[in-house]
Amino acid sequence: GMFEVRWVIHRSEHWHCSGWRQWLWVLQREDGRQEKAMMRVRAAILEQELEDIQIEARRIGRAPFVLQIGAMDGVGHDHMHPFIKSGTWRGLFVEPLKDYFDALQENYRSLGEEGALMFANKCIAESSGRRTMHRLA
């Protein structure tokens, strides 16, 4: 027979620090179960600026350079990834967490000419010394 399903949709929206606009949709079923869906899109303004930099660099015969602090794995939450993946950018990628750093190097291993991409498994701080790193889940 026929039955009715009621949904309550809760939406939260925020800008991720990497330039992604992100929405979390939580669907609350009448029976109490929840379903979640994440939708992310890159911030159009940021993407346009990076494209403009790439076009200008090409026009003057230079490779654009990026310094990325907290590069993570170079893919997730990373607005630079499509540009770096093009193989025309140069850069220095700093990532303190070893597992992310290893993934970062692996993800960018075969891109660009020799020495175009540099990697540092370091933490940036106001003074030298050891620090405790916290990972957000």
Side-chain angles (χ1 to χ4, degrees):
M2 296 281 289
F3 64 93
E4 182 179 339
V5 177
R6 292 188 187 154
W7 302 89
V8 176
I9 301 175
H10 304 279
R11 186 184 115 194
S12 64
E13 176 181 344
H14 71 279
W15 286 92
H16 189 274
C17 61
S18 64
W20 289 88
R21 193 167 192 184
Q22 173 168 297
W23 294 268
L24 173 64
W25 298 84
V26 179
L27 287 68
Q28 182 76 43
R29 291 174 169 243
E30 191 175 59
D31 63 9
R33 292 184 298 153
Q34 285 188 347
E35 295 179 22
K36 295 181 180 181
M38 180 71 73
M39 183 173 76
R40 296 186 318 172
V41 294
R42 254 191 313 210
I45 263 182
L46 178 60
E47 183 174 314
Q48 185 60 54
E49 289 298 319
L50 292 170
E51 287 175 3
D52 290 349
I53 289 168
Q54 188 164 280
I55 289 166
E56 179 63 15
R58 192 176 304 132
R59 187 186 71 73
I60 63 174
R62 298 189 61 181
F65 184 90
V66 61
L67 168 62
Q68 197 169 39
I69 308 298
M72 295 185 66
D73 66 358
V75 178
H77 304 291
D78 194 336
H79 60 278
M80 290 303 304
H81 180 72
F83 297 96
I84 302 302
K85 197 171 178 185
S86 74
T88 60
W89 285 64
R90 301 176 60 82
L92 171 58
F93 300 87
V94 180
E95 175 52 52
L97 300 173
K98 183 71 170 129
D99 56 333
Y100 282 128
F101 180 75
D102 292 343
L104 173 69
Q105 286 187 301
E106 182 61 29
N107 288 330
Y108 287 152
R109 183 171 40 93
S110 62
L111 297 178
E113 60 188 58
E114 184 69 31
L117 303 180
M118 300 167 286
F119 304 92
N121 186 205
K122 302 288 182 190
C123 179
I124 306 297
E126 65 280 355
S127 60
S128 61
R130 297 184 67 76
R131 297 286 185 275
T132 300
M133 293 293 301
H134 300 278
R135 186 181 298 254
L136 300 177

